Amino acid sequence: QQPVQSPQAVILREGEDAVINCSSSKALYSVHWYRQKHGEAPVFLMILLKGGEQKGHEKISASFNEKKQQSSLYLTASQLSYSGTYFCGTNRGSGNTPLVFGKGTRLSVIA
Amino acid sequence: DAMVIQNPRYQVTQFGKPVTLSCSQTLNHNVMYWYQQKSSQAPKLLFHYYDKDFNNEADTPDNFQSRRPNTSFCFLDIRSPGLGDAAMYLCATSPGRGPAYEQYFGPGTRLTVT
């Protein structure tokens, strides 16, 4: 089942902060975050696993609330380079089920 | 640099004319994925391989097939492309299969069907 992302789009000025949310109606085992710039491939940002383990980008933070079945990606002091579409991908089990990606959140950072 | 390479970057084919997209990787990852991504939509998984073990998503059309002759290469064959198959096709690799492994994407092949 596809996770739901919010907001769909956001415009920020450089230096402002943003939060992107990803939620599911089903229990989650992991949440992945990727950023895709226009015309380019998605780039891995972070994985959050049930139980609190994380791996990923040093400059980006995220949270995973297992009980609420949701994750949030925190972008602080945004830079122009943060612009792009952010996708969360969720995995419902510890086994080999593939990721299901949300529809994405388009972030535009302006000077 | 280790990477995921897709060729060609842009492919134009005619309605009904078979087309093959290729993906290669120098990461030596066990898992390779093919995704279809239409404009302003999420990537949609078509297939994945764990080594030579092939996994087809239930809603992947029969028109789409894949081959993985060795660890480094993977191909996506579209037997009879329709106008609805026009999309970006992304190949990705992962060091393992499961929720703890990140995916590394290639730059994609943009397919146009005329």
Side-chain angles (χ1 to χ4, degrees):
Chain A
Q1 231 168 358
Q2 188 173 43
V4 176
Q5 289 187 234
S6 63
Q8 289 185 328
V10 60
I11 299 174
L12 296 176
R13 293 200 177 274
E14 273 187 293
E16 291 182 337
D17 302 338
V19 180
I20 300 172
N21 300 303
C22 174
S23 64
S24 172
S25 59
K26 302 288 186 181
L28 298 176
Y29 190 87
S30 73
V31 180
H32 293 217
W33 287 97
Y34 292 81
R35 176 173 61 212
Q36 184 176 31
K37 292 182 180 285
H38 183 70
E40 299 181 11
V43 173
F44 167 72
L45 296 176
M46 180 163 285
I47 294 174
L48 302 105
L49 296 169
K50 186 176 179 179
E53 185 180 349
Q54 296 186 17
K55 65 175 179 178
H57 215 284
E58 288 179 0
K59 295 186 178 180
I60 291 176
S61 63
S63 63
F64 179 21
N65 187 322
E66 297 165 29
K67 287 186 179 178
K68 292 186 176 179
Q69 295 150 198
Q70 65 185 34
S71 175
S72 296
L73 185 71
Y74 305 98
L75 302 165
T76 57
S78 58
Q79 305 170 17
L80 295 175
S81 62
Y82 287 9
S83 294
T85 300
Y86 289 76
F87 291 99
C88 72
T90 57
N91 190 297
R92 291 177 51 196
S94 60
N96 298 322
T97 52
L99 286 179
V100 178
F101 285 97
K103 291 186 176 181
T105 294
R106 182 171 291 183
L107 178 75
S108 301
V109 181
I110 58 176
Chain B
D1 285 343
M3 56 194 338
V4 181
I5 302 161
Q6 291 189 244
N7 287 306
R9 295 291 308 278
Y10 300 91
Q11 176 74 58
V12 180
T13 191
Q14 293 177 337
F15 183 94
K17 185 174 181 181
V19 66
T20 295
L21 310 181
S22 72
C23 176
S24 64
Q25 54 133 340
T26 60
L27 297 162
N28 203 33
H29 285 169
N30 289 330
V31 190
M32 293 187 79
Y33 302 87
W34 277 107
Y35 289 90
Q36 179 191 64
Q37 187 179 29
K38 297 190 176 181
S39 182
S40 301
Q41 296 185 22
K44 178 179 176 297
L45 184 64
L46 297 173
F47 322 95
H48 78 275
Y49 283 91
Y50 179 68
D51 286 334
K52 291 194 172 185
D53 179 27
F54 174 71
N55 297 269
N56 189 26
E57 293 304 295
D59 57 354
T60 297
D62 293 338
N63 198 24
F64 289 80
Q65 296 182 334
S66 183
R67 297 169 282 136
R68 189 180 186 187
N70 54 51
T71 301
S72 301
F73 286 88
C74 196
F75 299 97
L76 173 62
D77 301 309
I78 309 176
R79 289 192 294 184
S80 182
L83 298 178
D85 296 328
M88 175 74 85
Y89 290 87
L90 295 167
C91 173
T93 71
S94 183
R97 187 170 57 172
Y101 294 98
E102 65 274 27
Q103 296 186 23
Y104 296 82
F105 285 83
T109 295
R110 184 166 295 283
L111 179 68
T112 301
V113 182
T114 61

